[in-house]
Amino acid sequence: DAAAAAWTFGRETDALRYPNHEPAHIGDLELWRYTIDEIHAAAKARPVNRRLAKVFWRGACQNNEWQRQRHHSVNDQRALNSIGLAKGMSTFNIGDGACAGDFESGNRARLLAASLTVSDSKHFDVKCQILAPPQNFTCIKDKAYAAELTQASKDVLENSRTIEDEAWIDGTDYTKYKYLLNLPGK
């Protein structure tokens, strides 16, 4: 009944983490278990056939430049640059509008998912609590994919009132939906 993730890249120190659905759960596994029990009880009280037939997701739709400006150290920046150069990509300088390449796969996925709400809100309820999606896709080799991402970014930004939702959604409220989308990132 436990899940954990470990990483060494992009952090000041190596880490082992468990899911922290809410900041209050950090370091409090009993509170985490209580929350999971509440979510399971809410799910049992809402049979799937009575749930909204929509795909649901909430989280941050941002770009790594946005994140680096606020959260990462100079050492993280050097690591991103050296890996980017090894992959034949340009360096990632804070504030330069860097291309949403390999390091942005989660951000691209969240951008495309949010664009589905713009095009089909009857079936998709994918919204962003932080809306700062990637906008530069010039390093994407697949030009059709780059064009799709460019259009998605334009659509999401032009419809920001539809996509941006800063409201906190309680874990038990996720059980109102038939389909929950799991996207990389936060």
Side-chain angles (χ1 to χ4, degrees), residues 34-50:
Y34 174 77
T35 300
I36 293 301
D37 290 346
E38 280 187 322
I39 293 170
H40 286 173
K44 285 180 184 177
R46 289 188 177 109
V48 173
N49 63 350
R50 291 194 353 232

PDB file of all heavy atoms in Angstrom, residues 34-50:
ATOM      1  N   TYR A  34      -5.457   8.331   5.990  1.00  0.00           N
ATOM      2  CA  TYR A  34      -6.809   8.838   6.255  1.00  0.00           C
ATOM      3  C   TYR A  34      -7.412   9.447   4.985  1.00  0.00           C
ATOM      4  O   TYR A  34      -8.576   9.204   4.663  1.00  0.00           O
ATOM      5  CB  TYR A  34      -6.759   9.883   7.388  1.00  0.00           C
ATOM      6  CG  TYR A  34      -8.077  10.573   7.625  1.00  0.00           C
ATOM      7  CD1 TYR A  34      -9.098   9.924   8.323  1.00  0.00           C
ATOM      8  CD2 TYR A  34      -8.316  11.847   7.132  1.00  0.00           C
ATOM      9  CE1 TYR A  34     -10.327  10.552   8.529  1.00  0.00           C
ATOM     10  CE2 TYR A  34      -9.525  12.482   7.334  1.00  0.00           C
ATOM     11  CZ  TYR A  34     -10.532  11.829   8.032  1.00  0.00           C
ATOM     12  OH  TYR A  34     -11.736  12.438   8.226  1.00  0.00           O
ATOM     13  N   THR A  35      -6.623  10.227   4.261  1.00  0.00           N
ATOM     14  CA  THR A  35      -7.102  10.849   3.024  1.00  0.00           C
ATOM     15  C   THR A  35      -7.452   9.791   1.987  1.00  0.00           C
ATOM     16  O   THR A  35      -8.493   9.888   1.324  1.00  0.00           O
ATOM     17  CB  THR A  35      -6.042  11.823   2.464  1.00  0.00           C
ATOM     18  OG1 THR A  35      -5.803  12.828   3.447  1.00  0.00           O
ATOM     19  CG2 THR A  35      -6.495  12.459   1.171  1.00  0.00           C
ATOM     20  N   ILE A  36      -6.617   8.794   1.850  1.00  0.00           N
ATOM     21  CA  ILE A  36      -6.884   7.707   0.898  1.00  0.00           C
ATOM     22  C   ILE A  36      -8.167   6.977   1.287  1.00  0.00           C
ATOM     23  O   ILE A  36      -8.992   6.651   0.423  1.00  0.00           O
ATOM     24  CB  ILE A  36      -5.689   6.726   0.824  1.00  0.00           C
ATOM     25  CG1 ILE A  36      -4.475   7.426   0.212  1.00  0.00           C
ATOM     26  CG2 ILE A  36      -6.035   5.472   0.053  1.00  0.00           C
ATOM     27  CD1 ILE A  36      -4.699   7.971  -1.181  1.00  0.00           C
ATOM     28  N   ASP A  37      -8.368   6.731   2.565  1.00  0.00           N
ATOM     29  CA  ASP A  37      -9.601   6.089   3.030  1.00  0.00           C
ATOM     30  C   ASP A  37     -10.823   6.932   2.681  1.00  0.00           C
ATOM     31  O   ASP A  37     -11.864   6.408   2.265  1.00  0.00           O
ATOM     32  CB  ASP A  37      -9.547   5.819   4.535  1.00  0.00           C
ATOM     33  CG  ASP A  37      -8.558   4.721   4.913  1.00  0.00           C
ATOM     34  OD1 ASP A  37      -8.111   3.979   3.997  1.00  0.00           O
ATOM     35  OD2 ASP A  37      -8.219   4.628   6.102  1.00  0.00           O
ATOM     36  N   GLU A  38     -10.717   8.264   2.836  1.00  0.00           N
ATOM     37  CA  GLU A  38     -11.828   9.160   2.469  1.00  0.00           C
ATOM     38  C   GLU A  38     -12.123   9.079   0.969  1.00  0.00           C
ATOM     39  O   GLU A  38     -13.284   9.041   0.557  1.00  0.00           O
ATOM     40  CB  GLU A  38     -11.476  10.613   2.813  1.00  0.00           C
ATOM     41  CG  GLU A  38     -11.658  10.996   4.237  1.00  0.00           C
ATOM     42  CD  GLU A  38     -11.445  12.501   4.412  1.00  0.00           C
ATOM     43  OE1 GLU A  38     -10.549  13.078   3.765  1.00  0.00           O
ATOM     44  OE2 GLU A  38     -12.209  13.077   5.193  1.00  0.00           O
ATOM     45  N   ILE A  39     -11.076   9.063   0.158  1.00  0.00           N
ATOM     46  CA  ILE A  39     -11.262   8.986  -1.298  1.00  0.00           C
ATOM     47  C   ILE A  39     -11.909   7.658  -1.679  1.00  0.00           C
ATOM     48  O   ILE A  39     -12.832   7.618  -2.493  1.00  0.00           O
ATOM     49  CB  ILE A  39      -9.924   9.203  -2.028  1.00  0.00           C
ATOM     50  CG1 ILE A  39      -9.462  10.652  -1.820  1.00  0.00           C
ATOM     51  CG2 ILE A  39     -10.043   8.879  -3.519  1.00  0.00           C
ATOM     52  CD1 ILE A  39      -8.040  10.931  -2.276  1.00  0.00           C
ATOM     53  N   HIS A  40     -11.458   6.577  -1.081  1.00  0.00           N
ATOM     54  CA  HIS A  40     -12.057   5.263  -1.369  1.00  0.00           C
ATOM     55  C   HIS A  40     -13.530   5.235  -0.964  1.00  0.00           C
ATOM     56  O   HIS A  40     -14.370   4.690  -1.695  1.00  0.00           O
ATOM     57  CB  HIS A  40     -11.290   4.152  -0.663  1.00  0.00           C
ATOM     58  CG  HIS A  40      -9.970   3.855  -1.293  1.00  0.00           C
ATOM     59  ND1 HIS A  40      -9.071   2.995  -0.737  1.00  0.00           N
ATOM     60  CD2 HIS A  40      -9.384   4.308  -2.424  1.00  0.00           C
ATOM     61  CE1 HIS A  40      -7.996   2.921  -1.492  1.00  0.00           C
ATOM     62  NE2 HIS A  40      -8.169   3.724  -2.518  1.00  0.00           N
ATOM     63  N   ALA A  41     -13.865   5.802   0.175  1.00  0.00           N
ATOM     64  CA  ALA A  41     -15.265   5.842   0.627  1.00  0.00           C
ATOM     65  C   ALA A  41     -16.114   6.671  -0.334  1.00  0.00           C
ATOM     66  O   ALA A  41     -17.241   6.281  -0.680  1.00  0.00           O
ATOM     67  CB  ALA A  41     -15.348   6.413   2.043  1.00  0.00           C
ATOM     68  N   ALA A  42     -15.591   7.809  -0.785  1.00  0.00           N
ATOM     69  CA  ALA A  42     -16.329   8.650  -1.738  1.00  0.00           C
ATOM     70  C   ALA A  42     -16.528   7.912  -3.061  1.00  0.00           C
ATOM     71  O   ALA A  42     -17.602   7.992  -3.676  1.00  0.00           O
ATOM     72  CB  ALA A  42     -15.594   9.960  -1.970  1.00  0.00           C
ATOM     73  N   ALA A  43     -15.529   7.172  -3.488  1.00  0.00           N
ATOM     74  CA  ALA A  43     -15.636   6.410  -4.743  1.00  0.00           C
ATOM     75  C   ALA A  43     -16.703   5.319  -4.623  1.00  0.00           C
ATOM     76  O   ALA A  43     -17.481   5.100  -5.555  1.00  0.00           O
ATOM     77  CB  ALA A  43     -14.286   5.800  -5.105  1.00  0.00           C
ATOM     78  N   LYS A  44     -16.753   4.648  -3.477  1.00  0.00           N
ATOM     79  CA  LYS A  44     -17.772   3.616  -3.278  1.00  0.00           C
ATOM     80  C   LYS A  44     -19.176   4.207  -3.266  1.00  0.00           C
ATOM     81  O   LYS A  44     -20.132   3.574  -3.695  1.00  0.00           O
ATOM     82  CB  LYS A  44     -17.516   2.863  -1.972  1.00  0.00           C
ATOM     83  CG  LYS A  44     -16.365   1.896  -2.054  1.00  0.00           C
ATOM     84  CD  LYS A  44     -16.158   1.190  -0.720  1.00  0.00           C
ATOM     85  CE  LYS A  44     -14.945   0.294  -0.782  1.00  0.00           C
ATOM     86  NZ  LYS A  44     -14.668  -0.339   0.500  1.00  0.00           N
ATOM     87  N   ALA A  45     -19.304   5.431  -2.764  1.00  0.00           N
ATOM     88  CA  ALA A  45     -20.619   6.087  -2.686  1.00  0.00           C
ATOM     89  C   ALA A  45     -21.092   6.620  -4.041  1.00  0.00           C
ATOM     90  O   ALA A  45     -22.253   6.993  -4.176  1.00  0.00           O
ATOM     91  CB  ALA A  45     -20.561   7.231  -1.679  1.00  0.00           C
ATOM     92  N   ARG A  46     -20.184   6.664  -5.030  1.00  0.00           N
ATOM     93  CA  ARG A  46     -20.533   7.162  -6.366  1.00  0.00           C
ATOM     94  C   ARG A  46     -20.290   6.063  -7.389  1.00  0.00           C
ATOM     95  O   ARG A  46     -19.186   5.960  -7.946  1.00  0.00           O
ATOM     96  CB  ARG A  46     -19.672   8.366  -6.721  1.00  0.00           C
ATOM     97  CG  ARG A  46     -20.003   9.601  -5.957  1.00  0.00           C
ATOM     98  CD  ARG A  46     -19.224  10.803  -6.531  1.00  0.00           C
ATOM     99  NE  ARG A  46     -19.590  12.006  -5.848  1.00  0.00           N
ATOM    100  CZ  ARG A  46     -18.797  12.659  -5.000  1.00  0.00           C
ATOM    101  NH1 ARG A  46     -17.584  12.227  -4.733  1.00  0.00           N
ATOM    102  NH2 ARG A  46     -19.223  13.759  -4.418  1.00  0.00           N
ATOM    103  N   PRO A  47     -21.291   5.280  -7.687  1.00  0.00           N
ATOM    104  CA  PRO A  47     -21.104   4.234  -8.708  1.00  0.00           C
ATOM    105  C   PRO A  47     -20.635   4.861 -10.026  1.00  0.00           C
ATOM    106  O   PRO A  47     -21.030   5.974 -10.373  1.00  0.00           O
ATOM    107  CB  PRO A  47     -22.490   3.622  -8.868  1.00  0.00           C
ATOM    108  CG  PRO A  47     -23.229   3.999  -7.621  1.00  0.00           C
ATOM    109  CD  PRO A  47     -22.643   5.299  -7.171  1.00  0.00           C
ATOM    110  N   VAL A  48     -19.802   4.159 -10.735  1.00  0.00           N
ATOM    111  CA  VAL A  48     -19.216   4.678 -11.975  1.00  0.00           C
ATOM    112  C   VAL A  48     -20.291   5.131 -12.959  1.00  0.00           C
ATOM    113  O   VAL A  48     -20.148   6.156 -13.609  1.00  0.00           O
ATOM    114  CB  VAL A  48     -18.281   3.626 -12.617  1.00  0.00           C
ATOM    115  CG1 VAL A  48     -17.795   4.079 -13.983  1.00  0.00           C
ATOM    116  CG2 VAL A  48     -17.100   3.343 -11.703  1.00  0.00           C
ATOM    117  N   ASN A  49     -21.406   4.412 -13.035  1.00  0.00           N
ATOM    118  CA  ASN A  49     -22.443   4.773 -14.006  1.00  0.00           C
ATOM    119  C   ASN A  49     -23.163   6.075 -13.653  1.00  0.00           C
ATOM    120  O   ASN A  49     -23.920   6.596 -14.465  1.00  0.00           O
ATOM    121  CB  ASN A  49     -23.446   3.631 -14.199  1.00  0.00           C
ATOM    122  CG  ASN A  49     -24.207   3.305 -12.925  1.00  0.00           C
ATOM    123  OD1 ASN A  49     -23.884   3.794 -11.838  1.00  0.00           O
ATOM    124  ND2 ASN A  49     -25.217   2.472 -13.057  1.00  0.00           N
ATOM    125  N   ARG A  50     -22.920   6.623 -12.453  1.00  0.00           N
ATOM    126  CA  ARG A  50     -23.535   7.898 -12.065  1.00  0.00           C
ATOM    127  C   ARG A  50     -22.525   9.047 -12.047  1.00  0.00           C
ATOM    128  O   ARG A  50     -22.855  10.154 -11.640  1.00  0.00           O
ATOM    129  CB  ARG A  50     -24.201   7.764 -10.699  1.00  0.00           C
ATOM    130  CG  ARG A  50     -25.425   6.855 -10.774  1.00  0.00           C
ATOM    131  CD  ARG A  50     -26.357   6.900  -9.567  1.00  0.00           C
ATOM    132  NE  ARG A  50     -25.942   7.643  -8.417  1.00  0.00           N
ATOM    133  CZ  ARG A  50     -25.921   7.159  -7.175  1.00  0.00           C
ATOM    134  NH1 ARG A  50     -26.273   5.915  -6.947  1.00  0.00           N
ATOM    135  NH2 ARG A  50     -25.544   7.919  -6.161  1.00  0.00           N
TER     136      ARG A  50
END
